[in-house]
Amino acid sequence: MLMIVVLLVLIVALAGGGGFIYMSNQRAAAQFDDEPRPVARKEVSVGPPTYLPLDNMVVNLADPGGERVAQVGITFELMDAAASEKVKQYLPTIRSGILLVISQRTSTELLQIEGKEKLARAILREAAQPFGGLDDEDEDEASDGKATAKKKSNRRRNRAADMPVQQVLFSSFIVQ
């Protein structure tokens, strides 16, 4: 009988010691684990982009004599399908702003690729106005230093990511 009691005590002691060693190893591994734990991520469904085409606009340009016009077709690339309804609510204001922006350009400026790219950025800023707006600074302007320019660019990019209109695309562009 004594032998059975000693054997049971020995089994319990070995099981307890093994459990203690196992738990200690787990804690030590968790303390020195250099790999970050997987974080639950919000899954974003990636689908086709959402576009919102605007009616073509005919605008008098700022050329001397006032005889030059531009006919511009614009399509907005939107953040998602829900953004389409948000943008449509402000479309009259956005179109008015776009017409004013285009009318301040000259035909010489709009015939160059840089002029069209600058116009697209200005239209994007105009489309963002009803939603809090983007910085009015032109991206091509020189800044105080590389660190400052990088901070401004990151801030602008983060702010632009929240705007319903992500990009301005030209579907037609005629200057006469």
Side-chain angles (χ1 to χ4, degrees), residues 32-68:
F32 296 108
D33 190 10
D34 290 335
E35 295 180 24
R37 299 277 181 214
V39 178
R41 295 183 189 181
K42 181 181 175 185
E43 293 295 321
V44 177
S45 63
V46 178
T50 302
Y51 296 106
L52 177 63
L54 305 182
D55 293 333
N56 284 352
M57 299 180 209
V58 179
V59 183
N60 290 326
L61 297 176
D63 285 322
E67 296 177 10
R68 304 288 297 228

Side-chain angles (χ1 to χ4, degrees), residues 66-92:
E67 296 177 10
R68 304 288 297 228
V69 295
Q71 178 184 348
V72 182
I74 298 171
T75 300
F76 289 148
E77 182 178 334
L78 304 176
M79 183 174 17
D80 53 25
S84 178
E85 291 305 314
K86 282 193 227 178
V87 173
K88 285 179 183 177
Q89 291 175 348
Y90 294 99
L91 210 47

